[in-house]
């Protein structure tokens, strides 16, 4: 779905294919006009969760969760205790090479569109990497720790080469000379009828001449196996739900671009998809609300625990959570399943 005068481009697993005679049916609720993505920006001054510096987060008194983003929803589904550590306790976490590389590549792909279409080439994109790395170190000084034990700069050099390869691979999947994004790094927020606020940052929004919208997200990892594709699309359906709730229309296409493996995963949502996601999020928020009021945040051990920064505070690893910083307004027993209170995360 490229914004070009030649019509709409279809994007499949093999890359971009021009399709001027695009005839697939539009989503039941119509399409999103360009103005929608512009109006989606929240009017009040709100700092997105993903960009709150640790120094600021740790200085702020603990408050009950008031909104939900795709990443925080994913945290709770993965492990409620991890959600508590990140959202309520705001425990510091060390930057990882993989996540920082992803941030760097995202910044390069965003900035490339500042250049005229004809100049959006792979060499131009790679030339942006050093400057964006310098900017990242200025805005997030903690990333310097990643290479503190690399005095000769060998690991850093290899890491930057890996970032270059990811950027180069993007040009085999999409043609930026034929794209004119309506929005890049768009912060959106919508409030549901229940009062739950949903928020997030969309990597890219494309609007075709016909008015159809495509929501695009870059991933620097590898595409999941088919049986895990639904989980990967959760974030995209979350964004589509926000757009739908803002304007009562459904985005035409959701697209995940996996730079690590060179795959493109696409999905055309319908209204029923978004309604299911909304019901899931409401149930998830009710569970978060109950855990907040009882102080009951149970750990959920998985293979991902090996990469968790909070093992020292997790009972599964012999640790003890910090004292619960919020008032408990409901008895813990209200949240306990049959079998007792094993793993209780109440006030310390």
């Amino acid at each position: 779905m490229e914004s070009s005068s030649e019509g709409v481009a279809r994007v499949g697993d093999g890359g971009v294919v021009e399709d001027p005679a695009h005839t697939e049916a539009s989503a039941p609720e119509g399409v999103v006009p360009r103005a929608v993505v512009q109006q989606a920006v929240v009017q009040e001054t709100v700092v997105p969760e993903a960009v709150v510096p640790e120094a600021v987060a740790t200085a702020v008194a603990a408050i009950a969760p008031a909104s939900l983003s795709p990443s925080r929803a994913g945290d709770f589904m993965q492990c409620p205790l991890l959600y508590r550590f990140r959202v309520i306790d705001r425990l510091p976490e060390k930057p990882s090479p993989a996540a920082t590389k992803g941030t760097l590549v995202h910044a390069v792909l965003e900035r490339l569109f500042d250049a005229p279409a004809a100049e959006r080439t792979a060499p131009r994109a790679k030339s942006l990497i050093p400057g964006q790395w310098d900017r990242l170190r200025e805005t997030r000084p903690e990333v310097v720790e990643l290479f503190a034990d690399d005095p000769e700069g060998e690991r850093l050099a290899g890491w930057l080469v890996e970032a270059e390869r990811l950027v180069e691979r993007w040009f085999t999947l999409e043609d930026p000379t034929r794209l004119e994004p309506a929005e890049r790094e768009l912060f959106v927020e919508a409030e549901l009828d229940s009062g739950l606020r949903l928020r997030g940052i969309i990597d890219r929004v494309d609007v075709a001449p016909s008015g159809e919208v495509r929501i695009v997200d870059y991933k620097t990892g590898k595409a999941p196996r088919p049986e895990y594709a639904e989980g990967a699309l959760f974030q995209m359906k979350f964004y589509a739900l926000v757009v739908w709730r803002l304007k009562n229309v459904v985005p035409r296409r959701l697209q995940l671009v996996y730079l690590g493996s060179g795959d493109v995963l696409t999905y055309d949502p319908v209204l029923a998809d978004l309604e299911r996601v909304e019901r899931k999020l409401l149930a998830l928020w009710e569970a978060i609300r109950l855990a907040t009021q009882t102080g009951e945040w149970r750990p959920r051990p998985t293979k991902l625990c090996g990469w968790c920064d909070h093992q020292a505070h997790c009972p599964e690893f012999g640790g003890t959570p910090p004292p619960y910083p919020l008032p408990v307004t409901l008895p813990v027993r209200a949240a306990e399943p049959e079998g007792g209170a094993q793993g209780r995360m109440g006030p310390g």
Side-chain angles (χ1 to χ4, degrees):
M1 189 181 299
E2 298 180 356
S3 300
S4 73
S5 59
E6 300 180 20
V8 177
R10 295 190 62 189
V11 183
D13 291 344
V16 177
V17 180
E18 289 300 318
D19 184 13
H22 182 62
T23 58
E24 291 186 24
S26 297
E29 294 298 308
V31 294
V32 183
R34 183 184 299 269
V36 169
V37 291
Q38 296 170 343
Q39 295 174 14
V41 182
V42 64
Q43 297 302 310
E44 59 183 308
T45 302
V46 179
V47 181
E49 292 171 291
V51 297
V52 176
E54 284 183 5
V56 174
T58 53
V60 177
I63 57 175
S67 63
L68 197 59
S69 69
S71 56
R72 297 293 78 84
D75 286 344
F76 189 84
M77 289 186 289
Q78 175 186 328
C79 175
L81 185 57
L82 174 64
Y83 177 97
R84 175 198 151 171
F85 287 159
R86 285 179 168 170
V87 176
I88 296 178
D89 298 301
R90 304 190 188 190
L91 299 181
E93 296 182 351
K94 297 179 180 178
S96 72
T100 304
K101 189 190 307 172
T103 301
L104 174 61
V105 170
H106 274 71
V108 169
L109 299 187
E110 180 190 4
R111 293 273 70 83
L112 181 65
F113 285 104
D114 290 339
E119 298 177 18
R120 297 170 195 162
T121 63
R124 173 67 176 266
K126 290 195 294 182
S127 73
L128 296 175
I129 291 178
Q132 291 303 313
W133 172 233
D134 289 341
R135 180 174 177 273
L136 186 58
R137 288 185 296 176
E138 292 175 2
T139 57
R140 295 179 53 189
E142 67 273 14
V143 302
V144 177
E145 301 174 12
L146 290 171
F147 304 102
D149 59 348
D150 182 36
E152 302 300 322
E154 294 181 0
R155 284 201 303 111
L156 173 59
W159 183 82
L160 291 172
V161 168
E162 292 172 359
E164 288 184 355
R165 289 172 180 164
L166 293 172
V167 169
E168 282 184 310
R169 184 168 289 147
W170 178 57
F171 286 83
T172 69
L173 304 173
E174 296 191 285
D175 181 0
T177 66
R178 299 184 58 79
L179 290 166
E180 291 298 338
E183 299 289 347
R184 290 171 277 155
E185 296 295 314
L186 176 66
F187 175 47
V188 293
E189 182 176 73
E191 184 171 319
L192 304 182
D193 294 339
S194 66
L196 169 60
R197 283 192 291 121
L198 304 179
R199 62 196 301 193
I201 300 177
I202 302 174
D203 287 347
R204 197 180 85 218
V205 179
D206 300 333
V207 180
S210 61
E212 293 181 319
V213 162
R214 176 173 65 189
I215 296 176
V216 181
D217 195 73
Y218 307 119
K219 299 295 184 185
T220 49
K222 297 181 180 180
R225 296 198 297 269
E227 59 267 33
Y228 298 113
E230 183 61 30
L233 283 169
F234 171 77
Q235 174 187 10
M236 305 303 286
K237 291 179 180 180
F238 185 108
Y239 294 146
L241 170 61
V242 173
V243 172
W244 172 51
R245 278 305 187 184
L246 283 170
K247 286 296 177 178
N248 197 33
V249 287
V250 178
R252 180 67 181 84
R253 174 155 292 180
L254 310 177
Q255 178 170 304
L256 286 161
V257 181
Y258 287 94
L259 305 177
S261 57
D263 296 299
V264 176
L265 176 63
T266 65
Y267 185 82
D268 295 345
V270 295
L271 180 58
D273 293 322
L274 307 189
E275 290 174 333
R276 282 192 294 270
V277 171
E278 181 168 339
R279 289 193 296 270
K280 180 175 182 176
L281 291 173
L282 290 175
L284 192 67
W285 187 247
E286 178 60 21
I288 291 173
R289 185 194 65 80
L290 188 59
T292 302
Q293 294 177 319
T294 62
E296 179 79 358
W297 300 91
R298 294 175 181 272
R300 183 175 297 146
T302 67
K303 294 180 180 179
L304 297 175
C305 291
W307 286 272
C308 184
D309 281 340
H310 308 304
Q311 294 181 7
H313 297 288
C314 179
E316 294 294 325
F317 292 87
T320 302
Y324 191 54
L326 297 176
V328 173
T329 57
L330 288 179
V332 172
R333 69 176 66 91
E336 289 177 10
E338 294 183 6
Q342 184 177 1
R344 178 177 299 176
M345 294 294 113

